Amino acid sequence: MKIDVKRVAKLASLPLSEAEEEKYSKQLSKILDYIEQLNEVDTLDVEPTFNVTGLSNAMREDQVGDCTIPQEEAISNAPVKKDGFIVTKGVFNE
Amino acid sequence: MKYETVIGIEVHVELNTKTKMFCRCSADYFGKEPNTHTCPVCLGLPGSLPIINEEAIKKCIQIGLALGCTISSKSLFERKNYFYPDLPKGYQISQYRWPLCIKGELKLDSGKVIRVNRAHQEEDTAKLTHQGGESLIDFNRSSVPLVEVVTEPDFSSSEEVREYAQKLQQIFRYLGVSNADMERGDMRLEANVSVRPEGQTELPPYRVELKNINSFRFMVAAIEYEVKRQIEAHEKGEKLSQETRGWNEDKKETYLQRSKEEAHDYRYFPEPDLPELKNMDQIKVDLPELPSKKTERFVSDYELNKQQVGILVESIEMADYFEKVVEAGKQNNVTPVQIANYIVNKKVDLSVDPKQIINDIQDKTSNLISDDAEFEKLAKQAIEENQKSADDFRAGKENAIQALIGGVMRLSKGKADAAQTVKILRKLLE
């Protein structure tokens, strides 16, 4: 099965060199072929499984908890910060 | 050639729950220090797991029911994948194939029905502030519960859009699910606008998305500008394309924000970290009497005109207040019409005791004519109609004035103060 690696890479925001495109194109096609085998099973009357826990309606009350972390910690991984904000390249001047 | 406008509307409304959609951080973020209302879940840190806020689900169901939607028995969250700095996980937890509420409608005053395609639950993104070539990120808003209400492309004018948006805002406030304040961003409008030759039934092959517009007025202006721009492009034979535009209030024109040459591919897939929602149609939620029902009832029960009722039902607080005053007026024979007139004309403050309103209205009814000129006119008329008593009085018959007083009372329908009447009659008869 053929795969449009360029498009997939773009959607995943991954920069690929031409050599990599070539390489991953082959690998991904092989993976798809492998998965393709599942189509041999007749699943016409089987409900799709999206979740394997068997749970449903796992909800919580609307009460504030103690999960909140301090500002310094929240932004500690950001390479650039200013006045408690995380700074990123301007999104409107790309 | 004549053209017609085709508009569909997406409204995002932030719910006023105490906590965020998938974590226990406080959702009361407005005006707070940046990045002080976050945790590993709403920052999208690896290994963190979301848990659904039940109150948000109930509020989404309330919105759905208020719009006449069917509540889906089974509902699932999905991941909407895209990259943007306001999105910490690289996807937004939203709904796509299994929205909570489907197929409703909202009726405009003209009777035109706007079909609602869906009302689904999702999470808000972080807030970006654009400043001197860079963008500042505040994750306090990240994952605050958001409901998106999507219509079919049923609008044909900016006025219809305004009415719909205002009605929707009123419903959100009646339900008490959100402040729905546009300037604060509690409620956000997006319009998909295109034009087609009049009479064409199929949808145009493009649409322009108007986004990030934070008032009804600007949205109306943006739509009107956009319709004109598109018709001009059509006339010149230019091809219009799929794009996102914003509104520049200074220049009074829309401007290109993003062109969407390639179709969006969000690669939606069911959120594996959230078990499905089942039997959602069995969840009991309370619905207040909604504006449309209340309007009908006020018009028929109280015999008020639609315009007055429009003002009285603007907010649920106002409507409740009016009915309290009506109740208070029952023992005193003050009619709902009198009360409605009084409240609407005087723009009564809702903190005033309803009994006080009734007193004021009664005073006003028994209220003595205060306009001297009018008083004098009535007195003169009474004299003219009873020249004999006037002559008798002038001739010294003090008692003759009683007949004239009676005349003024009759002419003023009892609104003349007796003492004042005597004074004025004496002055005129001297």
Side-chain angles (χ1 to χ4, degrees), chain B residues 295-330:
Chain B
T295 302
E296 272 173 38
R297 184 166 64 81
F298 277 22
V299 169
S300 70
D301 286 13
Y302 301 130
E303 297 175 331
L304 305 175
N305 66 51
K306 274 220 158 161
Q307 206 191 346
Q308 269 180 329
V309 173
I311 296 169
L312 292 172
V313 304
E314 211 164 80
S315 72
I316 205 163
E317 292 81 13
M318 177 65 134
D320 287 351
Y321 183 75
F322 167 72
E323 295 209 277
K324 261 189 221 150
V325 183
V326 167
E327 198 54 46
K330 274 185 185 161

Short mmCIF file of all heavy atoms in Angstrom, two decimals, chain B residues 295-330:
data_model
loop_
_atom_site.label_atom_id
_atom_site.label_comp_id
_atom_site.label_asym_id
_atom_site.label_seq_id
_atom_site.Cartn_x
_atom_site.Cartn_y
_atom_site.Cartn_z
N THR B 295 -42.11 34.56 26.34
CA THR B 295 -42.67 35.64 25.52
C THR B 295 -44.12 35.32 25.18
O THR B 295 -45.01 36.14 25.37
CB THR B 295 -41.85 35.82 24.23
OG1 THR B 295 -40.50 36.10 24.60
CG2 THR B 295 -42.38 36.96 23.39
N GLU B 296 -44.34 34.11 24.69
CA GLU B 296 -45.71 33.70 24.33
C GLU B 296 -46.64 33.84 25.53
O GLU B 296 -47.75 34.36 25.42
CB GLU B 296 -45.73 32.23 23.90
CG GLU B 296 -45.47 32.00 22.44
CD GLU B 296 -45.32 30.51 22.14
OE1 GLU B 296 -46.06 29.69 22.74
OE2 GLU B 296 -44.44 30.17 21.32
N ARG B 297 -46.18 33.34 26.67
CA ARG B 297 -47.03 33.35 27.86
C ARG B 297 -47.32 34.78 28.33
O ARG B 297 -48.45 35.11 28.66
CB ARG B 297 -46.35 32.57 29.00
CG ARG B 297 -47.20 32.45 30.25
CD ARG B 297 -46.65 31.42 31.21
NE ARG B 297 -45.34 31.78 31.72
CZ ARG B 297 -45.14 32.63 32.74
NH1 ARG B 297 -46.17 33.21 33.32
NH2 ARG B 297 -43.92 32.90 33.15
N PHE B 298 -46.31 35.62 28.31
CA PHE B 298 -46.52 37.00 28.76
C PHE B 298 -47.52 37.71 27.84
O PHE B 298 -48.36 38.46 28.30
CB PHE B 298 -45.19 37.78 28.78
CG PHE B 298 -44.38 37.56 30.04
CD1 PHE B 298 -44.60 36.44 30.84
CD2 PHE B 298 -43.43 38.49 30.44
CE1 PHE B 298 -43.86 36.23 31.99
CE2 PHE B 298 -42.68 38.29 31.61
CZ PHE B 298 -42.90 37.17 32.38
N VAL B 299 -47.38 37.46 26.54
CA VAL B 299 -48.29 38.11 25.59
C VAL B 299 -49.72 37.63 25.83
O VAL B 299 -50.65 38.44 25.91
CB VAL B 299 -47.86 37.83 24.13
CG1 VAL B 299 -48.94 38.26 23.15
CG2 VAL B 299 -46.54 38.54 23.82
N SER B 300 -49.91 36.32 26.01
CA SER B 300 -51.28 35.82 26.13
C SER B 300 -51.85 36.00 27.54
O SER B 300 -53.00 36.39 27.69
CB SER B 300 -51.37 34.37 25.68
OG SER B 300 -50.73 33.54 26.62
N ASP B 301 -51.05 35.76 28.58
CA ASP B 301 -51.59 35.85 29.94
C ASP B 301 -51.77 37.29 30.41
O ASP B 301 -52.71 37.60 31.13
CB ASP B 301 -50.67 35.14 30.95
CG ASP B 301 -50.77 33.64 30.83
OD1 ASP B 301 -51.34 33.19 29.82
OD2 ASP B 301 -50.27 32.94 31.72
N TYR B 302 -50.86 38.13 30.03
CA TYR B 302 -50.90 39.50 30.59
C TYR B 302 -51.36 40.54 29.57
O TYR B 302 -51.42 41.72 29.87
CB TYR B 302 -49.51 39.88 31.12
CG TYR B 302 -48.99 38.95 32.19
CD1 TYR B 302 -47.72 38.40 32.10
CD2 TYR B 302 -49.78 38.63 33.30
CE1 TYR B 302 -47.23 37.55 33.08
CE2 TYR B 302 -49.29 37.77 34.28
CZ TYR B 302 -48.02 37.24 34.17
OH TYR B 302 -47.55 36.42 35.15
N GLU B 303 -51.64 40.07 28.36
CA GLU B 303 -52.10 40.98 27.30
C GLU B 303 -51.15 42.15 27.10
O GLU B 303 -51.56 43.31 27.05
CB GLU B 303 -53.52 41.46 27.62
CG GLU B 303 -54.50 40.28 27.63
CD GLU B 303 -55.90 40.68 28.06
OE1 GLU B 303 -56.01 41.63 28.83
OE2 GLU B 303 -56.84 40.03 27.60
N LEU B 304 -49.88 41.83 26.99
CA LEU B 304 -48.89 42.87 26.76
C LEU B 304 -48.50 42.84 25.28
O LEU B 304 -48.70 41.83 24.60
CB LEU B 304 -47.64 42.60 27.59
CG LEU B 304 -47.85 42.44 29.09
CD1 LEU B 304 -46.54 42.06 29.76
CD2 LEU B 304 -48.39 43.73 29.70
N ASN B 305 -47.94 43.95 24.78
CA ASN B 305 -47.49 43.90 23.39
C ASN B 305 -46.09 43.29 23.32
O ASN B 305 -45.35 43.27 24.30
CB ASN B 305 -47.56 45.28 22.73
CG ASN B 305 -46.59 46.27 23.34
OD1 ASN B 305 -45.40 45.99 23.47
ND2 ASN B 305 -47.09 47.43 23.73
N LYS B 306 -45.76 42.79 22.13
CA LYS B 306 -44.52 42.03 21.96
C LYS B 306 -43.28 42.82 22.28
O LYS B 306 -42.30 42.29 22.80
CB LYS B 306 -44.43 41.50 20.51
CG LYS B 306 -45.14 40.19 20.31
CD LYS B 306 -44.33 39.26 19.41
CE LYS B 306 -44.72 37.82 19.64
NZ LYS B 306 -44.33 36.93 18.55
N GLN B 307 -43.33 44.10 21.97
CA GLN B 307 -42.16 44.94 22.18
C GLN B 307 -41.85 45.06 23.67
O GLN B 307 -40.70 44.93 24.10
CB GLN B 307 -42.42 46.31 21.58
CG GLN B 307 -41.14 47.02 21.18
CD GLN B 307 -41.46 48.46 20.84
OE1 GLN B 307 -42.61 48.84 20.66
NE2 GLN B 307 -40.42 49.27 20.78
N GLN B 308 -42.91 45.29 24.45
CA GLN B 308 -42.76 45.38 25.90
C GLN B 308 -42.23 44.06 26.45
O GLN B 308 -41.30 44.04 27.24
CB GLN B 308 -44.14 45.61 26.55
CG GLN B 308 -44.50 47.04 26.74
CD GLN B 308 -45.86 47.16 27.39
OE1 GLN B 308 -46.73 46.31 27.18
NE2 GLN B 308 -46.03 48.21 28.18
N VAL B 309 -42.84 42.97 25.97
CA VAL B 309 -42.44 41.66 26.47
C VAL B 309 -40.97 41.41 26.15
O VAL B 309 -40.23 40.88 26.98
CB VAL B 309 -43.34 40.55 25.86
CG1 VAL B 309 -42.81 39.18 26.23
CG2 VAL B 309 -44.76 40.72 26.35
N GLY B 310 -40.55 41.85 24.97
CA GLY B 310 -39.15 41.69 24.59
C GLY B 310 -38.23 42.26 25.65
O GLY B 310 -37.21 41.65 26.00
N ILE B 311 -38.60 43.41 26.18
CA ILE B 311 -37.77 44.05 27.22
C ILE B 311 -37.89 43.29 28.54
O ILE B 311 -36.91 43.05 29.23
CB ILE B 311 -38.17 45.53 27.39
CG1 ILE B 311 -37.87 46.28 26.10
CG2 ILE B 311 -37.44 46.17 28.57
CD1 ILE B 311 -38.46 47.68 26.02
N LEU B 312 -39.13 42.87 28.86
CA LEU B 312 -39.35 42.20 30.14
C LEU B 312 -38.67 40.84 30.23
O LEU B 312 -38.27 40.40 31.31
CB LEU B 312 -40.85 42.04 30.41
CG LEU B 312 -41.61 43.35 30.67
CD1 LEU B 312 -43.12 43.08 30.74
CD2 LEU B 312 -41.14 44.01 31.96
N VAL B 313 -38.54 40.14 29.09
CA VAL B 313 -37.94 38.80 29.15
C VAL B 313 -36.46 38.82 28.77
O VAL B 313 -35.84 37.77 28.64
CB VAL B 313 -38.68 37.77 28.25
CG1 VAL B 313 -40.15 37.71 28.61
CG2 VAL B 313 -38.48 38.09 26.78
N GLU B 314 -35.90 40.01 28.62
CA GLU B 314 -34.50 40.12 28.23
C GLU B 314 -33.61 39.26 29.13
O GLU B 314 -32.76 38.53 28.66
CB GLU B 314 -34.07 41.57 28.31
CG GLU B 314 -33.00 41.93 27.32
CD GLU B 314 -32.88 43.43 27.19
OE1 GLU B 314 -32.24 44.07 28.04
OE2 GLU B 314 -33.49 43.96 26.24
N SER B 315 -33.84 39.37 30.42
CA SER B 315 -33.12 38.48 31.33
C SER B 315 -34.14 37.76 32.19
O SER B 315 -35.25 38.25 32.40
CB SER B 315 -32.16 39.28 32.21
OG SER B 315 -32.89 40.02 33.18
N ILE B 316 -33.75 36.62 32.71
CA ILE B 316 -34.65 35.83 33.54
C ILE B 316 -34.93 36.59 34.83
O ILE B 316 -36.03 36.53 35.38
CB ILE B 316 -34.04 34.43 33.78
CG1 ILE B 316 -35.14 33.41 34.07
CG2 ILE B 316 -33.01 34.43 34.90
CD1 ILE B 316 -34.67 31.98 33.91
N GLU B 317 -33.97 37.36 35.30
CA GLU B 317 -34.15 38.14 36.54
C GLU B 317 -35.24 39.19 36.35
O GLU B 317 -36.10 39.38 37.20
CB GLU B 317 -32.84 38.84 36.94
CG GLU B 317 -31.71 37.91 37.37
CD GLU B 317 -30.96 37.30 36.19
OE1 GLU B 317 -31.14 37.76 35.04
OE2 GLU B 317 -30.20 36.33 36.41
N MET B 318 -35.18 39.87 35.21
CA MET B 318 -36.16 40.89 34.89
C MET B 318 -37.55 40.26 34.80
O MET B 318 -38.52 40.78 35.36
CB MET B 318 -35.77 41.55 33.56
CG MET B 318 -36.74 42.59 33.07
SD MET B 318 -36.79 43.99 34.18
CE MET B 318 -36.69 45.34 33.03
N ALA B 319 -37.66 39.13 34.10
CA ALA B 319 -38.95 38.47 33.91
C ALA B 319 -39.52 38.02 35.26
O ALA B 319 -40.71 38.21 35.54
CB ALA B 319 -38.79 37.27 32.97
N ASP B 320 -38.67 37.45 36.11
CA ASP B 320 -39.13 37.01 37.43
C ASP B 320 -39.60 38.20 38.26
O ASP B 320 -40.59 38.13 38.97
CB ASP B 320 -37.99 36.29 38.18
CG ASP B 320 -37.72 34.91 37.60
OD1 ASP B 320 -38.53 34.47 36.75
OD2 ASP B 320 -36.72 34.29 37.98
N TYR B 321 -38.87 39.27 38.16
CA TYR B 321 -39.21 40.48 38.92
C TYR B 321 -40.58 40.98 38.49
O TYR B 321 -41.44 41.27 39.32
CB TYR B 321 -38.14 41.55 38.68
CG TYR B 321 -38.36 42.81 39.47
CD1 TYR B 321 -38.10 42.86 40.83
CD2 TYR B 321 -38.84 43.96 38.85
CE1 TYR B 321 -38.30 44.02 41.56
CE2 TYR B 321 -39.05 45.12 39.56
CZ TYR B 321 -38.78 45.14 40.92
OH TYR B 321 -38.98 46.29 41.63
N PHE B 322 -40.77 41.07 37.18
CA PHE B 322 -42.06 41.53 36.66
C PHE B 322 -43.20 40.70 37.25
O PHE B 322 -44.20 41.23 37.71
CB PHE B 322 -42.07 41.46 35.13
CG PHE B 322 -43.44 41.61 34.52
CD1 PHE B 322 -44.07 42.86 34.53
CD2 PHE B 322 -44.11 40.53 33.97
CE1 PHE B 322 -45.34 43.01 34.00
CE2 PHE B 322 -45.38 40.68 33.44
CZ PHE B 322 -46.00 41.92 33.45
N GLU B 323 -43.01 39.37 37.25
CA GLU B 323 -44.09 38.51 37.74
C GLU B 323 -44.31 38.67 39.24
O GLU B 323 -45.43 38.53 39.73
CB GLU B 323 -43.79 37.06 37.36
CG GLU B 323 -43.79 36.88 35.86
CD GLU B 323 -44.21 35.50 35.41
OE1 GLU B 323 -43.35 34.61 35.40
OE2 GLU B 323 -45.40 35.31 35.09
N LYS B 324 -43.26 38.99 39.98
CA LYS B 324 -43.41 39.25 41.41
C LYS B 324 -44.26 40.49 41.62
O LYS B 324 -45.13 40.54 42.50
CB LYS B 324 -42.03 39.45 42.06
CG LYS B 324 -41.52 38.20 42.75
CD LYS B 324 -40.26 38.54 43.55
CE LYS B 324 -39.23 37.44 43.39
NZ LYS B 324 -37.86 37.90 43.49
N VAL B 325 -43.99 41.51 40.82
CA VAL B 325 -44.75 42.76 40.95
C VAL B 325 -46.21 42.51 40.55
O VAL B 325 -47.14 43.00 41.20
CB VAL B 325 -44.13 43.89 40.10
CG1 VAL B 325 -44.91 45.18 40.31
CG2 VAL B 325 -42.67 44.09 40.47
N VAL B 326 -46.42 41.70 39.49
CA VAL B 326 -47.79 41.37 39.08
C VAL B 326 -48.53 40.72 40.24
O VAL B 326 -49.68 41.05 40.54
CB VAL B 326 -47.79 40.43 37.85
CG1 VAL B 326 -49.17 39.83 37.61
CG2 VAL B 326 -47.31 41.19 36.62
N GLU B 327 -47.84 39.79 40.90
CA GLU B 327 -48.43 39.09 42.05
C GLU B 327 -48.81 40.10 43.15
O GLU B 327 -49.90 40.08 43.69
CB GLU B 327 -47.39 38.08 42.58
CG GLU B 327 -47.95 37.00 43.47
CD GLU B 327 -49.10 36.23 42.81
OE1 GLU B 327 -48.95 35.85 41.63
OE2 GLU B 327 -50.13 36.03 43.48
N ALA B 328 -47.88 41.01 43.42
CA ALA B 328 -48.11 42.02 44.45
C ALA B 328 -49.25 42.97 44.07
O ALA B 328 -49.95 43.49 44.94
CB ALA B 328 -46.83 42.82 44.69
N GLY B 329 -49.45 43.14 42.77
CA GLY B 329 -50.47 44.08 42.31
C GLY B 329 -51.88 43.51 42.35
O GLY B 329 -52.86 44.24 42.28
N LYS B 330 -51.97 42.16 42.46
CA LYS B 330 -53.28 41.51 42.39
C LYS B 330 -54.25 42.04 43.44
O LYS B 330 -55.41 42.31 43.14
CB LYS B 330 -53.13 40.00 42.53
CG LYS B 330 -52.87 39.33 41.20
CD LYS B 330 -52.85 37.83 41.32
CE LYS B 330 -52.45 37.19 39.99
NZ LYS B 330 -51.99 35.80 40.19
#
